[in-house]
Amino acid sequence: MTTHFHWHDHHFINRNPALDFANMVVWRGQAAEEDRGRSLENLKGWAAYAGLALPRADVDRCVKVREAIDGYFRIGAGWPDLVSLYAEALKADDDPFLTTILHAAMALAFSPERSRVRICGNCGWLFFDSTRNANKRWCTLTCSSRTKARRHYHAKKRVASG
Ligand SMILES: [Zn+2]
């Protein structure tokens, strides 16, 4: 069985290949966690949509790179892994797809934008907070309104059962 995922603009909210690549996993760590990057078909579709070179046949390596990027920008873990993956990619010089993504990750890591990376309180995606107060909690309006609707629902339920 192949699961062919259809990519759309709203899967590329950051316009940054590193963060958008990490966001191939949605609802990370939650019961509904969905990994859309575990097949070569999905990875190729994503690359084509993002305007990048197509990935090579190594899905495991793509996942490894993705998880290193996610871990670093999500919780600040795994910097040495990320650096070695980047060094390996540069040395091998045979995988423009992963090299581009890793390059974007390194560029972001050394940029002031790094401090603007947040985790969405609803879907778990990584996003840039460009608000002046740096207090944005949801990646998109959709996630913001879904969270508020859910809170409203639970508040009503508590009133009803209390
Ligand atoms: Zn979200």
Side-chain angles (χ1 to χ4, degrees), residues 13 26-27 120-125 127 137-140 142-144:
I13 56 166
V26 67
W27 312 111
C120 177
N122 185 49
C123 72
W125 268 1
F127 69 94
R137 296 168 59 192
W138 297 287
C139 71
T140 56
T142 310
C143 277
S144 164

Side-chain angles (χ1 to χ4, degrees), residues 17-162:
L19 295 191
D20 290 338
F21 193 50
N23 289 347
M24 278 188 144
V25 178
V26 67
W27 312 111
R28 194 180 273 273
Q30 304 177 42
E33 180 173 304
E34 183 187 337
D35 186 341
R36 298 155 173 170
R38 293 270 172 180
S39 78
L40 189 59
E41 198 186 2
N42 281 3
L43 285 162
K44 281 185 172 168
W46 186 91
Y49 209 109
L52 301 177
L54 292 183
R56 293 160 55 89
D58 195 343
V59 174
D60 289 345
R61 186 162 179 80
C62 289
V63 170
K64 194 174 167 189
V65 166
R66 187 192 71 198
E67 293 307 298
I69 291 171
D70 185 86
Y72 178 68
F73 288 104
R74 186 174 298 268
I75 56 169
W79 174 248
D81 294 337
L82 196 54
V83 172
S84 339
L85 286 165
Y86 185 51
E88 280 166 30
L90 290 180
K91 199 172 162 195
D93 192 25
D94 61 352
D95 193 338
F97 174 72
L98 287 182
T99 305
T100 302
I101 289 169
L102 282 161
H103 186 79
M106 299 309 283
L108 178 58
F110 287 107
S111 134
E113 292 294 293
R114 162 78 187 92
S115 63
R116 292 273 177 183
V117 177
R118 304 272 180 279
I119 302 165
C120 177
N122 185 49
C123 72
W125 268 1
L126 298 175
F127 69 94
F128 285 116
D129 178 356
S130 48
T131 60
R132 186 192 295 260
N133 298 333
N135 59 359
K136 199 173 168 203
R137 296 168 59 192
W138 297 287
C139 71
T140 56
L141 279 175
T142 310
C143 277
S144 164
S145 56
R146 276 184 192 163
T147 306
K148 284 169 188 163
R150 204 164 49 230
R151 276 200 199 129
H152 183 67
Y153 170 76
H154 286 302
K156 268 172 76 175
K157 234 174 44 173
R158 269 198 302 277
V159 170
S161 63

